[in-house]
Each structure stands twice: as C-alpha cells, then as structure tokens.
C-alpha cells in the first residue's frame, strides 16, 4: 500500500471524529470537492471552509447517524478511489437511506487536492 492510499484510508476507518480530523489535516488549502449532480449538496466547493460549510456541516446537522463506510480502496499513482455505502436518517422526514458511492481523490505532496463523488443520489433524495 502506498502513502496516498494510507492517507485516504485514514479518513474512513476510524470514528467519525477521527475521520473528520484526519480529513481536515489531509485537505490542501485550495482543495476542490465535487458532490454529484442530483445529490442534495451538488456542486463543487473550493477551499477547506467552503467544503466544511457546504458539505460536512450540513451532513452533521441535517442527518442522524450519517455514515460513509468504504469497503474497497484502489490506488493508481496520485489517484485513490474509495467505494462504499452511505447510510443515515434525514432528520426532517425521519426516513432512512443507504446508497452506494465511489469517491475519486487526487493527492499531491501528501495533501488531497480534489475529490469527485459518484453516488446513487436517487436513494438519498428519496429520504429527503
């Protein structure tokens, strides 16, 4: 396993707090984070503050028990892919969901410079 794979793995395999702390430390200051079209938070967020406000704050406040559990990782040079399943309950509706995802990261000099999400957003939208 390479250092890039280890870096990405560290953002999925601990407690939610550990994963969040590891992700914050791993993000480049000008990183881009792209949520898939059709996903509730669709769009590209640039910079750590925008990523936290646009994605992670919302996940933490709008969902109960939201998780991204990765089951497979693949590394190809500076690219790392994580495949897994989202789960959680949307607070406003009380509806639960599970949805398959793939995340494609680009890592440079030990920092995440981009992430692109691929997801079955229909399953998430149904919960909302």
């Amino acid at each position: 396993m390479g250092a890039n794979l280890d870096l990405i793995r560290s953002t999925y395999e601990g407690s939610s707090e550990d994963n969040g702390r590891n992700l914050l430390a791993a993000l480049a200051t000008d990183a881009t984070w792209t949520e898939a079209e059709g996903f509730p938070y669709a769009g590209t967020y640039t910079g750590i503050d925008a990523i936290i406000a646009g994605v992670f704050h919302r996940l933490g406040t709008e969902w109960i028990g939201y998780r991204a559990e990765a089951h497979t990782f693949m590394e190809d040079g500076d690219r790392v892919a994580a495949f897994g399943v989202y789960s959680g309950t949307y607070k406003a509706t009380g509806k639960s969901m599970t949805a398959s995802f793939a995340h494609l990261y680009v890592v440079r000099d030990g920092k995440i410079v981009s992430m692109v999400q691929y997801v079955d957003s229909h399953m998430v939208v149904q919960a909302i």
Side-chain angles (χ1 to χ4, degrees):
M1 284 193 306
N4 292 341
L5 182 60
D6 290 342
L7 177 75
I8 299 305
R9 223 182 242 282
S10 76
T11 69
Y12 289 94
E13 296 189 334
S15 68
S16 291
E17 294 77 20
D18 287 342
N19 293 345
R21 197 170 21 258
N22 290 341
L23 179 62
L24 275 178
L27 283 170
T29 55
D30 60 348
T32 60
W33 192 274
T34 302
E35 298 282 300
E37 213 174 303
F39 195 70
Y41 313 135
T44 298
Y45 303 85
T46 302
I48 294 171
D49 291 343
I51 294 167
I52 291 168
V55 180
F56 292 98
H57 176 74
R58 293 173 70 187
L59 291 174
T61 58
E62 296 174 11
W63 294 85
I64 300 164
Y66 191 92
R67 294 184 50 90
E69 294 185 70
H71 53 68
T72 303
F73 296 90
M74 300 173 83
E75 182 176 23
D76 180 14
D78 65 355
R79 292 175 300 172
V80 178
F83 301 88
V85 177
Y86 291 136
S87 60
T89 302
Y90 195 64
K91 282 183 184 178
T93 62
K95 292 182 182 175
S96 297
M97 64 82 191
T98 58
S100 297
F101 72 77
H103 295 158
L104 181 60
Y105 294 89
V106 175
V107 180
R108 287 204 188 96
D109 301 320
K111 293 287 188 179
I112 296 168
V113 295
S114 72
M115 190 288 297
V116 177
Q117 172 201 54
Y118 303 88
V119 62
D120 182 358
S121 47
H122 178 73
M123 302 304 290
V124 180
V125 170
Q126 278 190 315
I128 293 176

